Amino acid sequence: MAVYLKIGAQDVLDEAKKYLKKPENINLIKKALNYANEHHGGQFRRSGEPFIVHLWNVGYILATLRVGPKTIAAGLLHDVIEDCGVSKEQLTLDFDSEIAELVESVTKIGNLQFKDPKEYQAANHRKIFIAMAKDVRVIIIKLVDRLHNMRTLQFMAEDKQKIIASETLDVYAPIAHRLGISEIKNELEDLSFLYLNPIDYRRIAQLVEAKKSERDAMVKNMIENISVILSENNLKFRIFGRSKHLYSIYRKMIQQNKRFDEILDLLALRVVTETELNCYEILGYIHAEYTPIPGRLKDYIAMPKVNMYQSLHTTIVGDQGSIFEIQIRTEEMDRVAERGIAAHWHYKEGSKYDPNKEQKEIEERLSWFKDFTTYTGESENQNPTDYMETLTRDIFEANVYVMTPKGKVIDLPNGSTPIDFAYRIHTDVGHSAVGSIVNDALVPLNTVLKTGDVVQIKTTKQITGPSEDWLKFVKTNQAKNKIKNFLAKKETEKRQEKVEVGEKMLADELKKRGFDVKEYFDKKKLEQIYNQFQVDNYTDLMYGIAVKSINQTNVVEKLTNQKRPIMDSEFISKIVNKDRRKKQTTSNVGLKVEGIDSMMMSLAQCCLPVYGDEIIGYISKGKGVKVHRTNCPNIQNMKKRLIDVEWDETVKDIKYDAYVIVISRDRNFLLTDIVTVVSQFKGSIKEINSVVNQEELSTTTKMTIQVGDNEHLKLICANLRKVDSVISVERMFI
């Protein structure tokens, strides 16, 4: 384990004075030190040390990160609200609103009631991350607080150690990585590793230590050789060896299934120079002298990581066949690589500091931070456990990097699809997505994306909304929530339409009976009959009437306490016209014919009508009624034996066959693209046949598609026409 220096109040001031030159800034830190000492007097940690020692360490680490004076002051004061009974208002009076807001943001939420400890922890994290979305300094203070707590975790009970270490590895280390603060991220990971898996920790530590002298000698020799090369070319630089932290070695061994001696970057050097041009020059000189390993050159200067990290990485074969990973970067890149977003405040925070302006600049520097703030803003009322699950999966664990056609990098979790990408761009892009192009090829919307893919989403101007099937393959919780919300809203709108239909049906029935509609649409009167129809509210009653699960006649009778007169005019009319009443028969393909008691009905195979088409029936000999489209050529000259038929709206979930012919220019993967489009729009292909005309270089594709109605068929055909090389798409007669 690392040995940590004992830190005192003076150490905090000395470190701050290295970069804060204005006396008022140092005086603010002194004031915070004295205030913390006064209010935490008599409090002790589990180690037996005075509590103030923890605060001195927090202040010192913040100073080493070169944050501003108010951030250091807030770090020194971060427990006074929670542990000392100081109110936010009092802290505002004693310091200012900015410091008080930072302290309040890192304070736990208090003794609210939760189902279990996990929900309580999730609620605490949500509070901190919501505050972070408004001011990122909040999380920097919390990370430093957690770092010192991890350094002193040996004084906690073993079960508590594992809980805290697991939380650190799952939540705090990933956010430190996302913010680019590698100093803190690496130490948090190693300390968590020690407490969660002490056996493997010590095993890897021993392996590293066993080869330390041999490794140090090779590193020293390589430093001398490269220094000579760079000095001969008059380049300014500093070069040093760096060690891989233990958890990263362990993770590579597990994820890549490699032995310890197969980890290529155990021998590692870093070269720090003045300019970007120098970086590329140094790379060229090193490659001219040593053989680079193919596929291991990474240019993070031209294409920075999402946490602002910039550097050139190359892996070379050194003397005696030893493998070295070399990082080349400028001084500014090195500072950002170690301190991440914390380096952003170097000399900036002071009397003119504007959190809103600074936050916008952070969003420009960190490509993912805008997604984070947008998501957090939309989710403040979400269940805390769901919020943290989404944040962890979609933001902190995202390690697949894809690009928009304009080169913007979008980070997504493993297994993400174009739909996940679409919703990360914008909710409306997700809702209107109808196709996806990855690396210039049309692909299904459930295609799993990989790092480096260039993704483009094809949208429709008329938002049809997401399909419920998308929930089966989307990976991000953000996309799942957006889809579920849209579908729920759509279902609510459909239900409201039915409610309006039910209202009209009930109103018409009341009018028919001669009752005053306004009188019987009274809320109190309707409430009295809910239980008689097994409904709980007005909406359910009207919906039941609309879908005919509740008879409006019965509702009127219950409302008015009047039965229909046995011999009313309507009843007499039915008796008189009994023999002339139209009878109705309904088929199992969603058709009905009035005036016929019983007759077999089927769809004509020559034109294959689908629900919504204009149709006509033909009474055939011995085969019942054959139903054709009205424009079917086979019935154009027939005048006899034709009868009216109509679609039965009450019959649901029927799939209809339709013939479609697609004429296109011949090309590779054409048939795949056609099939993909039909599938994307929830059509099913029963039969498909494609023939190439070599002379005309064209292709004729005939297929039988199963659809829900003619609108569904039109939608599929419209999108087939958008496929590259397609000339025409038509519905066929046989």
Side-chain angles (χ1 to χ4, degrees):
M1 288 181 59
V3 177
Y4 302 107
L5 297 173
K6 287 192 174 182
I7 300 299
Q10 190 58 46
D11 296 305
V12 179
L13 292 170
D14 290 344
E15 190 65 30
K17 287 176 183 177
K18 291 179 181 178
Y19 68 101
L20 296 173
K21 304 304 179 183
K22 292 182 180 179
E24 59 266 32
N25 290 335
I26 300 302
N27 289 335
L28 174 64
I29 296 171
K30 283 181 180 178
K31 181 180 177 181
L33 283 164
N34 293 332
Y35 195 93
N37 192 52
E38 176 187 345
H39 284 82
H40 287 284
Q43 295 179 0
F44 294 87
R45 305 188 83 212
R46 288 182 182 271
S47 63
E49 288 182 322
F51 190 84
I52 191 67
V53 172
H54 168 64
L55 303 174
W56 291 340
N57 276 273
V58 169
Y60 179 80
I61 298 169
L62 286 169
T64 63
L65 291 173
R66 299 299 188 255
V67 300
K70 289 191 177 183
T71 308
I72 296 175
L76 292 165
L77 302 169
H78 78 269
D79 277 321
V80 295
I81 291 178
E82 184 177 343
D83 294 343
C84 304
V86 177
S87 67
K88 180 182 176 183
E89 292 72 23
Q90 184 61 50
L91 202 58
T92 302
L93 291 173
D94 294 338
F95 288 87
D96 62 30
S97 59
E98 191 177 329
I99 290 174
E101 185 66 38
L102 287 171
V103 173
E104 197 278 333
S105 294
V106 296
T107 300
K108 289 179 181 175
I109 57 177
N111 297 318
L112 301 180
Q113 294 298 313
F114 292 93
K115 290 185 297 185
D116 54 48
K118 284 186 178 179
E119 187 177 356
Y120 173 71
Q121 283 296 81
N124 272 320
H125 293 149
R126 182 177 68 171
K127 176 181 183 289
I128 291 167
F129 289 131
I130 287 172
M132 169 188 164
K134 298 170 185 173
D135 191 335
V136 78
R137 292 175 298 172
V138 170
I139 197 62
I140 293 174
I141 295 169
K142 192 64 185 175
L143 285 171
V144 170
D145 175 41
R146 176 52 61 104
L147 177 59
H148 186 253
N149 284 333
M150 288 298 295
R151 286 178 177 180
T152 55
L153 196 59
Q154 70 267 31
F155 299 105
M156 303 292 288
E158 186 176 345
D159 60 334
K160 192 74 171 176
Q161 288 175 350
K162 291 191 180 299
I163 291 171
I164 295 172
S166 179
E167 178 191 23
T168 300
L169 197 59
D170 291 343
V171 178
Y172 290 100
I175 194 63
H177 172 64
R178 276 285 185 243
L179 293 172
I181 313 175
S182 63
E183 287 179 334
I184 291 179
K185 173 251 184 188
N186 292 346
E187 191 175 345
L188 287 176
E189 286 185 341
D190 276 356
L191 288 168
S192 299
F193 182 29
L194 169 63
Y195 289 102
L196 290 172
N197 194 343
I199 295 174
D200 282 336
Y201 176 92
R202 292 188 174 89
R203 179 172 63 88
I204 293 174
Q206 287 169 2
L207 288 170
V208 170
E209 186 63 28
K211 293 193 175 184
K212 185 176 186 303
S213 58
E214 177 187 344
R215 194 170 58 250
D216 288 350
M218 287 189 289
V219 167
K220 182 181 178 183
N221 184 59
M222 181 60 79
I223 287 175
E224 291 173 354
N225 292 344
I226 291 178
S227 296
V228 170
I229 296 168
L230 300 184
S231 297
E232 287 175 350
N233 289 281
N234 300 315
L235 286 163
K236 291 185 178 181
F237 67 94
R238 59 188 180 93
I239 184 170
F240 50 92
R242 64 179 189 86
S243 58
K244 196 79 172 171
H245 69 291
L246 301 183
Y247 183 70
S248 66
I249 297 171
Y250 171 75
R251 188 170 51 208
K252 277 196 173 185
M253 291 170 67
I254 296 298
Q255 291 178 350
Q256 300 176 17
N257 194 27
K258 289 186 175 182
R259 301 188 310 274
F260 176 80
D261 55 6
E262 291 180 299
I263 306 297
L264 292 181
D265 50 5
L266 285 175
L267 294 173
L269 300 178
R270 182 174 299 159
V271 184
V272 182
T273 187
E274 290 186 322
T275 68
E276 282 189 19
L277 180 59
N278 292 154
C279 293
Y280 290 102
E281 285 181 300
I282 290 169
L283 178 70
Y285 288 128
I286 291 174
H287 280 185
E289 184 68 24
Y290 297 100
T291 303
I293 294 179
R296 295 279 295 181
L297 174 63
K298 296 175 183 176
D299 187 348
Y300 294 121
I301 294 179
M303 186 70 70
K305 291 185 178 183
V306 292
N307 60 5
M308 304 188 307
Y309 178 88
Q310 287 184 286
S311 188
L312 292 176
H313 289 197
T314 186
T315 303
I316 62 170
V317 181
D319 297 332
Q320 300 175 348
S322 54
I323 305 296
F324 282 86
E325 182 193 64
I326 301 178
Q327 298 174 347
I328 309 168
R329 61 180 69 152
T330 65
E331 293 286 357
E332 174 63 19
M333 291 174 192
D334 192 53
R335 183 164 55 251
V336 172
E338 296 301 313
R339 299 173 187 162
I341 201 65
H344 179 67
W345 284 282
H346 196 187
Y347 302 119
K348 291 192 69 173
E349 188 186 23
S351 58
K352 296 182 180 179
Y353 181 83
D354 182 352
N356 292 328
K357 181 181 177 183
E358 296 304 313
Q359 208 76 352
K360 287 181 181 178
E361 192 171 336
I362 290 165
E363 288 185 4
E364 292 175 3
R365 286 168 171 256
L366 291 173
S367 61
W368 61 272
F369 200 81
K370 189 171 184 179
D371 297 327
F372 168 77
T373 52
T374 301
Y375 170 73
T376 296
E378 293 173 349
S379 307
E380 290 199 22
N381 297 319
Q382 187 180 354
N383 174 281
T385 305
D386 292 343
Y387 169 85
M388 283 306 301
E389 182 184 340
T390 298
L391 208 62
T392 300
R393 177 183 294 178
D394 295 3
I395 304 293
F396 300 161
E397 292 182 358
N399 56 8
V400 172
Y401 306 104
V402 298
M403 288 180 288
T404 67
K406 292 184 178 180
K408 180 183 177 183
V409 178
I410 304 295
D411 50 321
L412 296 164
N414 279 327
S416 294
T417 66
I419 291 297
D420 295 292
F421 173 89
Y423 279 104
R424 184 61 63 84
I425 298 298
H426 195 278
T427 301
D428 288 345
V429 175
H431 286 348
S432 58
V434 294
S436 56
I437 299 172
V438 177
N439 303 328
D440 295 325
L442 186 69
V443 301
L445 290 171
N446 62 352
T447 301
V448 174
L449 301 175
K450 60 184 184 298
T451 294
D453 284 343
V454 179
V455 185
Q456 182 179 355
I457 301 298
K458 298 181 74 174
T459 59
T460 177
K461 290 182 180 179
Q462 183 179 2
I463 294 181
T464 56
S467 162
E468 192 170 350
D469 291 340
W470 291 1
L471 291 171
K472 297 175 183 176
F473 60 77
V474 292
K475 187 71 174 177
T476 60
N477 280 11
Q478 181 190 30
K480 288 178 183 176
N481 291 336
K482 297 289 187 185
I483 294 167
K484 287 177 182 177
N485 290 341
F486 183 93
L487 294 174
K489 183 179 178 183
K490 193 172 182 181
E491 187 62 34
T492 300
E493 290 172 354
K494 284 183 179 179
R495 189 174 180 83
Q496 184 56 38
E497 290 174 5
K498 291 290 186 183
V499 168
E500 292 170 6
V501 171
E503 288 173 336
K504 185 177 184 307
M505 291 171 67
L506 183 58
D508 289 346
E509 186 68 23
L510 285 165
K511 288 177 185 176
K512 189 192 299 183
R513 301 289 198 90
F515 294 111
D516 182 359
V517 173
K518 289 184 179 179
E519 178 184 351
Y520 288 100
F521 261 80
D522 178 72
K523 182 179 179 182
K524 289 184 179 179
K525 287 188 177 181
L526 288 167
E527 284 177 350
Q528 293 173 2
I529 66 169
Y530 288 165
N531 63 336
Q532 298 181 53
F533 295 97
Q534 287 80 49
V535 296
D536 297 322
N537 52 57
Y538 175 87
T539 299
D540 289 348
L541 179 66
M542 296 304 160
Y543 182 83
I545 293 172
V547 299
K548 299 181 181 178
S549 63
I550 298 174
N551 187 292
Q552 70 265 32
T553 302
N554 293 340
V555 174
V556 169
E557 290 175 355
K558 296 293 184 184
L559 268 177
T560 61
N561 291 318
Q562 291 188 29
K563 295 278 186 183
R564 180 189 295 272
I566 295 176
M567 293 300 288
D568 65 8
S569 58
E570 186 179 342
F571 183 78
I572 293 171
S573 174
K574 284 188 177 182
I575 296 295
V576 171
N577 297 295
K578 182 177 180 182
D579 293 333
R580 288 181 291 171
R581 277 188 300 164
K582 287 188 176 181
K583 297 172 185 177
Q584 177 176 298
T585 183
T586 301
S587 79
N588 59 1
V589 289
L591 298 162
K592 59 184 179 181
V593 182
E594 292 188 351
I596 297 176
D597 188 27
S598 176
M599 184 170 285
M600 180 173 65
M601 284 183 286
S602 60
L603 300 173
Q605 293 300 300
C606 54
C607 58
L608 282 181
V610 303
Y611 185 92
D613 285 337
E614 293 185 12
I615 51 176
I616 191 77
Y618 173 74
I619 303 175
S620 63
K621 293 181 179 180
K623 294 184 180 180
V625 177
K626 291 286 184 180
V627 177
H628 296 255
R629 283 190 273 159
T630 54
N631 60 345
C632 178
N634 291 337
I635 60 166
Q636 293 308 304
N637 297 322
M638 297 180 182
K639 294 183 179 179
K640 296 181 179 181
R641 307 176 77 174
L642 294 178
I643 61 169
D644 290 331
V645 294
E646 60 185 42
W647 298 106
D648 186 350
E649 296 178 359
T650 65
V651 179
K652 305 291 184 182
D653 300 324
I654 294 176
K655 295 296 183 183
Y656 298 89
D657 290 348
Y659 293 131
V660 174
I661 184 169
V662 180
I663 306 297
S664 54
R665 292 184 296 277
D666 187 33
R667 64 171 174 84
N668 291 335
F669 305 113
L670 172 66
L671 196 57
T672 300
D673 292 346
I674 289 172
V675 172
T676 297
V677 169
V678 175
S679 175
Q680 283 176 346
F681 290 92
K682 298 199 293 185
S684 299
I685 297 178
K686 285 184 67 177
E687 187 177 345
I688 187 166
N689 181 41
S690 190
V691 178
V692 178
N693 185 324
Q694 297 291 352
E695 294 181 3
E696 299 179 6
L697 296 177
S698 65
T699 300
T700 301
T701 304
K702 297 179 181 180
M703 53 186 167
T704 303
I705 305 174
Q706 283 195 324
V707 296
D709 54 34
N710 62 355
E711 292 300 322
H712 186 193
L713 179 60
K714 288 175 185 176
L715 179 65
I716 291 174
C717 290
N719 282 279
L720 284 171
R721 293 185 186 103
K722 298 177 185 177
V723 174
D724 182 36
S725 301
V726 168
I727 299 169
S728 66
V729 180
E730 301 296 338
R731 190 174 172 190
M732 298 188 299
F733 294 102
I734 300 299

PDB file of all heavy atoms in Angstrom, residues 610 612-613 660 707 709-721 729 731:
ATOM      1  N   VAL A 610     -56.615  -5.625 -48.709  1.00  0.00           N
ATOM      2  CA  VAL A 610     -56.200  -5.509 -47.311  1.00  0.00           C
ATOM      3  C   VAL A 610     -57.118  -4.506 -46.636  1.00  0.00           C
ATOM      4  O   VAL A 610     -57.742  -3.666 -47.288  1.00  0.00           O
ATOM      5  CB  VAL A 610     -54.721  -5.075 -47.173  1.00  0.00           C
ATOM      6  CG1 VAL A 610     -53.806  -6.028 -47.896  1.00  0.00           C
ATOM      7  CG2 VAL A 610     -54.506  -3.654 -47.666  1.00  0.00           C
ATOM      8  N   GLY A 612     -59.004  -1.588 -45.269  1.00  0.00           N
ATOM      9  CA  GLY A 612     -58.947  -0.181 -45.650  1.00  0.00           C
ATOM     10  C   GLY A 612     -59.117   0.042 -47.136  1.00  0.00           C
ATOM     11  O   GLY A 612     -59.422   1.156 -47.565  1.00  0.00           O
ATOM     12  N   ASP A 613     -58.919  -1.012 -47.967  1.00  0.00           N
ATOM     13  CA  ASP A 613     -59.152  -0.886 -49.410  1.00  0.00           C
ATOM     14  C   ASP A 613     -60.645  -0.739 -49.684  1.00  0.00           C
ATOM     15  O   ASP A 613     -61.494  -1.226 -48.920  1.00  0.00           O
ATOM     16  CB  ASP A 613     -58.656  -2.148 -50.145  1.00  0.00           C
ATOM     17  CG  ASP A 613     -57.141  -2.209 -50.246  1.00  0.00           C
ATOM     18  OD1 ASP A 613     -56.503  -1.155 -50.159  1.00  0.00           O
ATOM     19  OD2 ASP A 613     -56.612  -3.325 -50.406  1.00  0.00           O
ATOM     20  N   VAL A 660     -46.377  -7.112 -54.070  1.00  0.00           N
ATOM     21  CA  VAL A 660     -45.641  -5.887 -54.380  1.00  0.00           C
ATOM     22  C   VAL A 660     -44.533  -6.220 -55.372  1.00  0.00           C
ATOM     23  O   VAL A 660     -43.886  -7.267 -55.260  1.00  0.00           O
ATOM     24  CB  VAL A 660     -45.020  -5.269 -53.094  1.00  0.00           C
ATOM     25  CG1 VAL A 660     -44.137  -4.078 -53.443  1.00  0.00           C
ATOM     26  CG2 VAL A 660     -46.119  -4.842 -52.123  1.00  0.00           C
ATOM     27  N   VAL A 707     -49.295  -7.416 -44.017  1.00  0.00           N
ATOM     28  CA  VAL A 707     -49.441  -6.088 -43.404  1.00  0.00           C
ATOM     29  C   VAL A 707     -50.730  -6.042 -42.587  1.00  0.00           C
ATOM     30  O   VAL A 707     -51.601  -6.915 -42.695  1.00  0.00           O
ATOM     31  CB  VAL A 707     -49.459  -4.979 -44.476  1.00  0.00           C
ATOM     32  CG1 VAL A 707     -48.133  -4.918 -45.204  1.00  0.00           C
ATOM     33  CG2 VAL A 707     -50.607  -5.199 -45.470  1.00  0.00           C
ATOM     34  N   ASP A 709     -52.912  -3.209 -42.580  1.00  0.00           N
ATOM     35  CA  ASP A 709     -53.952  -2.514 -43.340  1.00  0.00           C
ATOM     36  C   ASP A 709     -53.286  -1.786 -44.505  1.00  0.00           C
ATOM     37  O   ASP A 709     -52.072  -1.862 -44.700  1.00  0.00           O
ATOM     38  CB  ASP A 709     -54.737  -1.537 -42.455  1.00  0.00           C
ATOM     39  CG  ASP A 709     -53.834  -0.556 -41.725  1.00  0.00           C
ATOM     40  OD1 ASP A 709     -52.800  -0.160 -42.304  1.00  0.00           O
ATOM     41  OD2 ASP A 709     -54.143  -0.194 -40.583  1.00  0.00           O
ATOM     42  N   ASN A 710     -54.108  -1.044 -45.282  1.00  0.00           N
ATOM     43  CA  ASN A 710     -53.531  -0.406 -46.463  1.00  0.00           C
ATOM     44  C   ASN A 710     -52.613   0.760 -46.110  1.00  0.00           C
ATOM     45  O   ASN A 710     -51.704   1.104 -46.861  1.00  0.00           O
ATOM     46  CB  ASN A 710     -54.617   0.016 -47.460  1.00  0.00           C
ATOM     47  CG  ASN A 710     -55.584   1.034 -46.883  1.00  0.00           C
ATOM     48  OD1 ASN A 710     -55.535   1.373 -45.709  1.00  0.00           O
ATOM     49  ND2 ASN A 710     -56.498   1.513 -47.723  1.00  0.00           N
ATOM     50  N   GLU A 711     -52.831   1.421 -44.954  1.00  0.00           N
ATOM     51  CA  GLU A 711     -51.925   2.481 -44.516  1.00  0.00           C
ATOM     52  C   GLU A 711     -50.545   1.901 -44.197  1.00  0.00           C
ATOM     53  O   GLU A 711     -49.513   2.501 -44.502  1.00  0.00           O
ATOM     54  CB  GLU A 711     -52.491   3.208 -43.300  1.00  0.00           C
ATOM     55  CG  GLU A 711     -53.740   4.033 -43.579  1.00  0.00           C
ATOM     56  CD  GLU A 711     -53.481   5.117 -44.612  1.00  0.00           C
ATOM     57  OE1 GLU A 711     -52.386   5.716 -44.591  1.00  0.00           O
ATOM     58  OE2 GLU A 711     -54.353   5.357 -45.466  1.00  0.00           O
ATOM     59  N   HIS A 712     -50.537   0.742 -43.558  1.00  0.00           N
ATOM     60  CA  HIS A 712     -49.282   0.045 -43.252  1.00  0.00           C
ATOM     61  C   HIS A 712     -48.553  -0.304 -44.553  1.00  0.00           C
ATOM     62  O   HIS A 712     -47.332  -0.109 -44.681  1.00  0.00           O
ATOM     63  CB  HIS A 712     -49.598  -1.208 -42.439  1.00  0.00           C
ATOM     64  CG  HIS A 712     -48.385  -1.931 -41.946  1.00  0.00           C
ATOM     65  ND1 HIS A 712     -48.441  -3.207 -41.436  1.00  0.00           N
ATOM     66  CD2 HIS A 712     -47.078  -1.572 -41.890  1.00  0.00           C
ATOM     67  CE1 HIS A 712     -47.228  -3.589 -41.083  1.00  0.00           C
ATOM     68  NE2 HIS A 712     -46.385  -2.617 -41.342  1.00  0.00           N
ATOM     69  N   LEU A 713     -49.302  -0.796 -45.544  1.00  0.00           N
ATOM     70  CA  LEU A 713     -48.718  -1.157 -46.829  1.00  0.00           C
ATOM     71  C   LEU A 713     -48.147   0.071 -47.536  1.00  0.00           C
ATOM     72  O   LEU A 713     -47.052   0.035 -48.096  1.00  0.00           O
ATOM     73  CB  LEU A 713     -49.776  -1.836 -47.706  1.00  0.00           C
ATOM     74  CG  LEU A 713     -49.322  -2.249 -49.111  1.00  0.00           C
ATOM     75  CD1 LEU A 713     -48.170  -3.239 -49.049  1.00  0.00           C
ATOM     76  CD2 LEU A 713     -50.498  -2.852 -49.888  1.00  0.00           C
ATOM     77  N   LYS A 714     -48.893   1.195 -47.489  1.00  0.00           N
ATOM     78  CA  LYS A 714     -48.418   2.432 -48.125  1.00  0.00           C
ATOM     79  C   LYS A 714     -47.118   2.908 -47.482  1.00  0.00           C
ATOM     80  O   LYS A 714     -46.213   3.394 -48.161  1.00  0.00           O
ATOM     81  CB  LYS A 714     -49.488   3.520 -48.021  1.00  0.00           C
ATOM     82  CG  LYS A 714     -50.698   3.293 -48.915  1.00  0.00           C
ATOM     83  CD  LYS A 714     -51.747   4.362 -48.656  1.00  0.00           C
ATOM     84  CE  LYS A 714     -53.028   4.099 -49.455  1.00  0.00           C
ATOM     85  NZ  LYS A 714     -54.082   5.096 -49.120  1.00  0.00           N
ATOM     86  N   LEU A 715     -47.030   2.782 -46.158  1.00  0.00           N
ATOM     87  CA  LEU A 715     -45.829   3.202 -45.437  1.00  0.00           C
ATOM     88  C   LEU A 715     -44.611   2.383 -45.881  1.00  0.00           C
ATOM     89  O   LEU A 715     -43.527   2.929 -46.126  1.00  0.00           O
ATOM     90  CB  LEU A 715     -46.044   3.057 -43.923  1.00  0.00           C
ATOM     91  CG  LEU A 715     -44.865   3.445 -43.027  1.00  0.00           C
ATOM     92  CD1 LEU A 715     -44.575   4.939 -43.139  1.00  0.00           C
ATOM     93  CD2 LEU A 715     -45.160   3.072 -41.579  1.00  0.00           C
ATOM     94  N   ILE A 716     -44.795   1.057 -45.990  1.00  0.00           N
ATOM     95  CA  ILE A 716     -43.693   0.194 -46.423  1.00  0.00           C
ATOM     96  C   ILE A 716     -43.272   0.541 -47.849  1.00  0.00           C
ATOM     97  O   ILE A 716     -42.080   0.682 -48.148  1.00  0.00           O
ATOM     98  CB  ILE A 716     -44.091  -1.286 -46.310  1.00  0.00           C
ATOM     99  CG1 ILE A 716     -44.228  -1.686 -44.824  1.00  0.00           C
ATOM    100  CG2 ILE A 716     -43.068  -2.180 -47.002  1.00  0.00           C
ATOM    101  CD1 ILE A 716     -44.763  -3.073 -44.611  1.00  0.00           C
ATOM    102  N   CYS A 717     -44.261   0.710 -48.740  1.00  0.00           N
ATOM    103  CA  CYS A 717     -43.943   1.020 -50.145  1.00  0.00           C
ATOM    104  C   CYS A 717     -43.232   2.364 -50.261  1.00  0.00           C
ATOM    105  O   CYS A 717     -42.281   2.514 -51.036  1.00  0.00           O
ATOM    106  CB  CYS A 717     -45.214   1.022 -50.995  1.00  0.00           C
ATOM    107  SG  CYS A 717     -45.937  -0.627 -51.215  1.00  0.00           S
ATOM    108  N   ALA A 718     -43.680   3.351 -49.484  1.00  0.00           N
ATOM    109  CA  ALA A 718     -43.053   4.680 -49.524  1.00  0.00           C
ATOM    110  C   ALA A 718     -41.591   4.604 -49.121  1.00  0.00           C
ATOM    111  O   ALA A 718     -40.725   5.274 -49.709  1.00  0.00           O
ATOM    112  CB  ALA A 718     -43.807   5.640 -48.607  1.00  0.00           C
ATOM    113  N   ASN A 719     -41.276   3.781 -48.145  1.00  0.00           N
ATOM    114  CA  ASN A 719     -39.892   3.671 -47.686  1.00  0.00           C
ATOM    115  C   ASN A 719     -39.057   2.767 -48.580  1.00  0.00           C
ATOM    116  O   ASN A 719     -37.838   2.933 -48.657  1.00  0.00           O
ATOM    117  CB  ASN A 719     -39.857   3.200 -46.230  1.00  0.00           C
ATOM    118  CG  ASN A 719     -40.168   4.326 -45.271  1.00  0.00           C
ATOM    119  OD1 ASN A 719     -39.317   5.137 -44.950  1.00  0.00           O
ATOM    120  ND2 ASN A 719     -41.433   4.405 -44.851  1.00  0.00           N
ATOM    121  N   LEU A 720     -39.702   1.812 -49.264  1.00  0.00           N
ATOM    122  CA  LEU A 720     -38.972   1.024 -50.261  1.00  0.00           C
ATOM    123  C   LEU A 720     -38.511   1.919 -51.410  1.00  0.00           C
ATOM    124  O   LEU A 720     -37.433   1.719 -51.972  1.00  0.00           O
ATOM    125  CB  LEU A 720     -39.856  -0.106 -50.791  1.00  0.00           C
ATOM    126  CG  LEU A 720     -40.044  -1.318 -49.873  1.00  0.00           C
ATOM    127  CD1 LEU A 720     -41.117  -2.246 -50.427  1.00  0.00           C
ATOM    128  CD2 LEU A 720     -38.733  -2.085 -49.704  1.00  0.00           C
ATOM    129  N   ARG A 721     -39.316   2.932 -51.742  1.00  0.00           N
ATOM    130  CA  ARG A 721     -38.939   3.851 -52.835  1.00  0.00           C
ATOM    131  C   ARG A 721     -37.707   4.682 -52.474  1.00  0.00           C
ATOM    132  O   ARG A 721     -37.051   5.233 -53.360  1.00  0.00           O
ATOM    133  CB  ARG A 721     -40.116   4.770 -53.171  1.00  0.00           C
ATOM    134  CG  ARG A 721     -41.302   4.025 -53.786  1.00  0.00           C
ATOM    135  CD  ARG A 721     -42.424   4.947 -54.223  1.00  0.00           C
ATOM    136  NE  ARG A 721     -43.577   4.176 -54.672  1.00  0.00           N
ATOM    137  CZ  ARG A 721     -44.679   3.990 -53.953  1.00  0.00           C
ATOM    138  NH1 ARG A 721     -44.787   4.543 -52.750  1.00  0.00           N
ATOM    139  NH2 ARG A 721     -45.673   3.257 -54.421  1.00  0.00           N
ATOM    140  N   VAL A 729     -41.980   1.186 -57.072  1.00  0.00           N
ATOM    141  CA  VAL A 729     -42.583   0.180 -56.193  1.00  0.00           C
ATOM    142  C   VAL A 729     -44.087   0.222 -56.427  1.00  0.00           C
ATOM    143  O   VAL A 729     -44.712   1.276 -56.256  1.00  0.00           O
ATOM    144  CB  VAL A 729     -42.274   0.469 -54.703  1.00  0.00           C
ATOM    145  CG1 VAL A 729     -42.922  -0.592 -53.825  1.00  0.00           C
ATOM    146  CG2 VAL A 729     -40.775   0.531 -54.451  1.00  0.00           C
ATOM    147  N   ARG A 731     -48.021  -1.991 -56.180  1.00  0.00           N
ATOM    148  CA  ARG A 731     -48.828  -3.125 -55.742  1.00  0.00           C
ATOM    149  C   ARG A 731     -49.380  -3.820 -56.982  1.00  0.00           C
ATOM    150  O   ARG A 731     -49.851  -3.162 -57.915  1.00  0.00           O
ATOM    151  CB  ARG A 731     -49.958  -2.606 -54.855  1.00  0.00           C
ATOM    152  CG  ARG A 731     -50.725  -3.684 -54.134  1.00  0.00           C
ATOM    153  CD  ARG A 731     -51.710  -3.030 -53.194  1.00  0.00           C
ATOM    154  NE  ARG A 731     -52.617  -3.995 -52.609  1.00  0.00           N
ATOM    155  CZ  ARG A 731     -53.680  -3.673 -51.906  1.00  0.00           C
ATOM    156  NH1 ARG A 731     -53.969  -2.398 -51.711  1.00  0.00           N
ATOM    157  NH2 ARG A 731     -54.460  -4.605 -51.402  1.00  0.00           N
TER     158      ARG A 731
END
